[in-house]
Amino acid sequence: MDYRTESPEIIREFLFYHETIKVHSKKTIDEYFLDLRSFFRFLKISKKLVPENTPHNEISIMDIDFAFVEAVTINDIYEYLAYLTRDKKTQQNSRHSTYGLAASSRARKTAVIRSFYKYLTLKSNNNRLSKNPVADLDSPKLRKTLPRFLTLDESTKLLSNVDGVNKERDFCILTLFLNCGLRRSELANINISDIREDSIRVLGKGNKERDVYINDACADALNDYLVERKKHATKDEPALFLSSRRKRISTSTIHSLVKKHLKAAGLDSTKYSSHKLRHTAATLMLKGGVDVRTLQELLGHENLNTTQIYTHIDNEDLRDAAMRSPLAGYKKKK
């Protein structure tokens, strides 16, 4: 899949802008392309511009031009969102296919459409819309859920049960997860040259670099692993964390080792994952007194709103608040 050859000029221009100016990752650009392709395929079907019963994945969007895009109305988009809500097939290759996308998936697709039309209204160098038809388009309402995280005792239990052939490597990875709140991709991409005396240079989302400072626990785990790494690494391998093949560890391997050690520690490996360890780090730091803006920088969040999902109050605090009510001891007279 390559949007440079599979999309019309008007979409290609938008994707070039996000790839080169906004510096979004290839994965993000590919998702933008797929979302826009799905949207315009739906419009071609709804406007009867393709033969009836044409398979969705065989509809070309190469003929989509400025006139077509300009003619789109807010009602067209509402029809598309209704299709995603009720009729969009999920798990295409499964015998257990269902219909209707989750609100989070619909919200992402809505955001891409809004971004596309905002670009054509404000940024486009070639064709520019005089009016944005989706300026007032609302995103699907999302159900707010608290992020899952390990307690301090569970985190300690996880670290104390690391064993096996790669125990130094795995312990170091888990320690960095729980102390620094790194993303899985950030851990996999760390090079030996990124390690400083008291920090690690990390490449985050959008190819943005940031320095993550490490505490004594991380420094000790790194030093122990580096001693072990020297026994197996080739001189020209830049990656910090290596697989059993002495090459850079993959994100899928990190995912698997986290699940393995969660299970070994007697924790629910279906409930927690590497991303939940990032949630754990953020939650424990907030409980330890770290302010939310500092946490935003540490986690590499572009928007403060993303970080604020961690400012929840756990059940123990809620229970304590209830017990502290001035009326907590009042009882009805008999």
Side-chain angles (χ1 to χ4, degrees):
M1 180 184 65
D2 188 343
Y3 78 84
R4 293 170 296 182
T5 58
E6 298 180 36
S7 61
E9 181 181 356
I10 193 166
I11 294 177
R12 204 160 55 239
E13 178 190 326
F14 166 74
L15 297 175
F16 275 143
Y17 169 76
H18 277 274
E19 186 170 29
T20 59
I21 305 302
K22 303 294 284 185
V23 200
H24 289 159
S25 69
K26 181 182 182 301
K27 180 180 178 182
T28 297
I29 300 302
D30 287 345
E31 288 175 348
Y32 283 6
F33 167 59
L34 292 175
D35 287 341
L36 289 174
R37 186 176 68 177
S38 173
F39 173 57
F40 286 112
R41 279 174 169 174
F42 170 83
L43 290 183
K44 291 185 72 172
I45 293 173
S46 68
K47 295 178 184 297
K48 297 180 170 39
L49 298 177
V50 293
E52 192 173 352
N53 297 323
T54 301
H56 197 271
N57 60 1
E58 293 181 10
I59 298 174
S60 171
I61 63 167
M62 293 300 291
D63 56 344
I64 299 297
D65 57 14
F66 181 76
F68 187 98
V69 171
E70 188 178 32
V72 172
T73 66
I74 192 72
N75 285 333
D76 290 329
I77 297 173
Y78 285 146
E79 285 183 19
Y80 176 61
L81 292 177
Y83 157 75
L84 295 178
T85 304
R86 299 180 180 183
D87 304 320
K88 173 67 174 175
K89 189 176 183 181
T90 62
Q91 299 178 334
Q92 297 283 344
N93 300 318
S94 172
R95 292 182 300 171
H96 308 290
S97 295
T98 57
Y99 292 87
L101 296 184
S104 57
S105 296
R106 288 183 276 120
R108 190 200 73 208
K109 292 178 184 296
T110 301
V112 173
I113 294 170
R114 291 177 63 179
S115 179
F116 177 62
Y117 276 93
K118 182 179 179 180
Y119 169 81
L120 291 177
T121 307
L122 302 175
K123 301 287 186 179
S124 176
N125 293 322
N126 298 320
N127 300 307
R128 181 170 293 189
L129 294 174
S130 58
K131 183 180 178 181
N132 185 347
V134 300
D136 297 324
L137 177 65
D138 294 326
S139 292
K141 188 174 182 179
L142 299 178
R143 183 170 63 91
K144 293 184 178 180
T145 58
L146 296 179
R148 286 178 175 173
F149 61 94
L150 299 177
T151 64
L152 180 58
D153 286 343
E154 289 171 333
S155 301
T156 303
K157 187 177 182 182
L158 174 61
L159 291 173
S160 63
N161 280 277
V162 177
D163 204 353
V165 177
N166 298 303
K167 62 182 180 182
E168 288 84 6
R169 181 199 68 183
D170 295 359
F171 182 81
C172 185
I173 287 174
L174 292 173
T175 300
L176 290 175
F177 265 134
L178 291 169
N179 282 275
C180 303
L182 299 181
R183 299 180 178 93
R184 197 169 28 163
S185 59
E186 292 172 347
L187 270 168
N189 288 328
I190 295 174
N191 290 326
I192 287 289
S193 59
D194 293 325
I195 301 173
R196 310 290 193 268
E197 184 177 347
D198 62 348
S199 66
I200 301 174
R201 178 63 55 88
V202 171
L203 185 66
K205 281 189 174 182
N207 291 322
K208 293 180 179 177
E209 290 186 342
R210 71 182 189 280
D211 288 324
V212 175
Y213 290 91
I214 58 175
N215 54 28
D216 290 343
C218 293
D220 288 346
L222 266 172
N223 289 333
D224 289 345
Y225 168 62
L226 288 173
V227 171
E228 189 65 25
R229 182 186 180 279
K230 285 182 181 179
K231 301 175 184 178
H232 309 288
T234 57
K235 291 183 179 180
D236 58 347
E237 176 53 61
L240 172 61
F241 293 114
L242 306 178
S243 69
S244 57
R245 297 181 179 180
R246 302 183 183 184
K247 298 294 182 182
R248 184 182 300 276
I249 197 171
S250 66
T251 55
S252 59
T253 297
I254 293 176
H255 174 76
S256 297
L257 73 86
V258 168
K259 291 286 189 180
K260 181 183 77 171
H261 292 300
L262 283 166
K263 189 174 181 179
L267 301 170
D268 191 344
S269 60
T270 64
K271 183 179 178 181
Y272 299 109
S273 63
S274 56
H275 196 65
K276 297 301 184 291
L277 299 190
R278 177 170 160 86
H279 290 333
T280 298
T283 303
L284 294 180
M285 279 187 273
L286 275 173
K287 283 177 171 288
V290 176
D291 70 87
V292 70
R293 288 199 175 275
T294 300
L295 190 61
Q296 177 190 2
E297 293 294 324
L298 190 147
L299 296 175
H301 285 159
E302 186 172 347
N303 298 312
L304 185 61
N305 286 342
T306 308
T307 315
Q308 287 176 331
I309 66 169
Y310 298 110
T311 58
H312 57 81
I313 303 174
D314 68 6
N315 291 335
E316 184 179 334
D317 292 334
L318 291 172
R319 190 179 296 109
D320 182 62
M323 294 302 104
R324 289 175 180 272
S325 168
L327 296 174
Y330 177 82
K331 294 182 180 180
K332 183 180 179 181
K333 294 181 179 179
K334 296 182 179 180

